[in-house]
Amino acid sequence: MGRYSVRLPSVSGRSSFAYSITAFSNLPKRVNGVLSFGHIMTEMTLELVSTAKCYEGEQRVYRHHSGTLDCDMTFGVFLPPAALEDKPCPVLFFLSGLTCSHENFIQKSGFQAHAARHNLIVVNPDTSPRGVEIAGQDDAYDFGSGAGFYVDAKLEPWSKHYKMYSYVTQELVDVVNANLPVVPGKRGIFGHSMGGHGALICALKNPGLYQSVSAFAPIANPTQCPWGQKAFAGYLGPNPDDWALWDATHLVSQYESTPQELFIDQGAADNFLAGKQLLPENLLAAADGNDHIQTIFKKREGYDHSYFYIATFVGEHIAYHAALLTAVA
Ligand SMILES: N[C@@H](CCC(=O)N[C@@H](CS)C(=O)NCC(=O)O)C(=O)O
């Protein structure tokens, strides 16, 4: 593959310019461009923050300016051996939970061995906008910084930056498509806790965008648990109709599109399960009443909510995604 350039139409009164990247054979150390996301014109510069050889692949961290979030964001990219040899690979997005940055999953889960074996590119974003100035954003572990909840906030002051749903489902997908050797249309998503909720709603709200979906200990019915109620009241306001649009259990009950399988994983000794923050039973009951949704539910005796639990089962999840993403259509 060589260099290519794209001229994009003018959006929002700004003139566009050709952007050019070197695809595949020289994966980007630094690339520049402009992409349009609906009404937003985003200058796209990826800066390589770090890279380390890992299981014959590379674990990288990139930083870029997000036009959606109006701040700089950092995300992880694992490139398996095939991607380093210019071969297109499916891509799997991982969304982390409360208090996490991009670093927790990279450093604690051990996913790289499995992604390397199955030749999956894995991309994991941060959990909220960063470096923005919003009063109170650092006051609690479950709201504001590190707790974006993968929704698009409606209420000020959060609505200027806290649009993690659009960031994950649109801008990050476009950035990945433009810069990494991905197989078109072979895209999966998974996540943990708040990120499990994120993975489920991103898939359920966008049938066909992801071909595989799984979740570790997801916040499966956020409108009915303290974490979700606090976040949704703060980001969305008091209207229950607004909350339902971001609740996986509600979305499952309403889902009428192409059949979707959801792989839900849950530690039986998870204290947040006992504390009624996760409520997977509500999502499973909603799925039981909907022929368009199939579920795989695995309950893991003795496992808690931690990354020790994720590390134990992440290989099973990656094998699940790989089987779906490499299946011949
Ligand atoms: N700090 C919170 C819990 C936050 C928490 O458990 N976060 C999970 C996701 S919901 C996590 O992955 N934490 C980061 C880590 O374990 O590395 C508490 O003490 O109640």
Side-chain angles (χ1 to χ4, degrees):
M1 282 287 172
R3 294 178 71 82
Y4 63 89
S5 64
V6 182
R7 185 167 287 280
L8 293 156
S10 173
V11 179
S12 302
R14 290 185 52 175
S15 58
S16 66
F17 58 87
Y19 96 89
S20 171
I21 64 169
T22 302
F24 297 20
S25 53
N26 292 307
L27 287 165
K29 296 285 192 274
R30 191 175 182 92
V31 296
N32 290 285
V34 171
L35 289 177
S36 103
F37 305 101
H39 66 288
I40 300 167
M41 177 70 96
T42 299
E43 282 197 28
M44 190 181 68
T45 301
L46 286 191
E47 179 191 344
L48 183 67
V49 176
S50 65
T51 187
K53 187 169 181 178
C54 186
Y55 293 100
E56 302 304 320
E58 283 186 28
Q59 178 63 59
R60 295 183 176 184
V61 173
Y62 285 100
R63 185 183 301 122
H64 73 136
H65 182 78
S66 164
T68 307
L69 306 178
D70 196 16
C71 65
D72 287 353
M73 291 294 284
T74 305
F75 61 92
V77 174
F78 177 73
L79 295 168
L84 294 177
E85 293 166 9
D86 296 351
K87 296 185 184 131
C89 300
V91 61
L92 181 56
F93 291 84
F94 182 86
L95 306 182
S96 294
L98 291 167
T99 73
C100 292
S101 70
H102 66 283
E103 288 189 325
N104 303 65
F105 183 63
I106 291 173
Q107 294 177 353
K108 291 181 164 183
S109 76
F111 81 89
Q112 292 92 344
H114 310 285
R117 187 162 60 250
H118 292 284
N119 276 311
L120 295 186
I121 295 172
V122 178
V123 174
N124 65 300
D126 207 337
T127 55
S128 73
R130 298 289 181 178
V132 300
E133 306 240 330
I134 299 181
Q137 68 179 351
D138 299 320
D139 290 357
Y141 81 91
D142 54 1
F143 188 77
S145 301
F149 262 84
Y150 305 102
V151 301
D152 285 352
K154 283 183 75 173
L155 284 194
E156 291 188 3
W158 308 100
S159 52
K160 182 171 188 303
H161 298 285
Y162 277 67
K163 297 191 177 301
M164 288 300 289
Y165 169 73
S166 290
Y167 175 67
V168 167
T169 58
Q170 296 173 32
E171 183 169 4
L172 198 57
V173 170
D174 287 342
V175 166
V176 164
N177 286 347
N179 291 290
L180 301 177
V182 292
V183 183
K186 295 292 183 187
R187 191 180 299 114
I189 190 162
F190 69 151
H192 172 225
S193 196
M194 175 183 74
H197 140 78
L200 293 170
I201 64 166
C202 287
L204 291 163
K205 288 166 79 68
N206 296 281
L209 182 59
Y210 307 97
Q211 288 70 53
S212 56
V213 187
S214 75
F216 293 100
I219 303 173
N221 195 184
T223 60
Q224 303 303 315
C225 75
W227 273 341
Q229 288 166 347
K230 176 176 177 178
F232 285 10
Y235 295 136
L236 305 173
N239 186 345
D241 292 342
D242 289 335
W243 293 19
L245 302 173
W246 305 97
D247 183 301
T249 295
H250 177 78
L251 294 171
V252 162
S253 71
Q254 301 292 306
Y255 189 90
E256 289 181 345
S257 190
T258 48
Q260 180 66 59
E261 185 172 86
L262 307 173
F263 174 11
I264 312 287
D265 204 299
Q266 180 61 61
D270 183 332
N271 56 338
F272 297 116
L273 178 68
K276 299 283 180 202
Q277 293 280 24
L278 306 176
L279 304 171
E281 63 276 15
N282 294 358
L283 186 143
L284 295 173
D288 266 354
N290 188 337
D291 292 342
H292 296 84
I293 300 282
Q294 301 297 319
T295 53
I296 300 169
F297 182 61
K298 300 221 171 166
K299 200 159 184 178
R300 317 291 192 172
E301 279 312 310
Y303 286 91
D304 63 16
H305 197 70
S306 71
Y307 267 87
F308 295 112
Y309 153 64
I310 296 177
T312 306
F313 299 107
V314 74
E316 194 175 319
H317 280 246
I318 286 181
Y320 170 79
H321 286 274
L324 291 173
L325 297 174
T326 56
V328 179

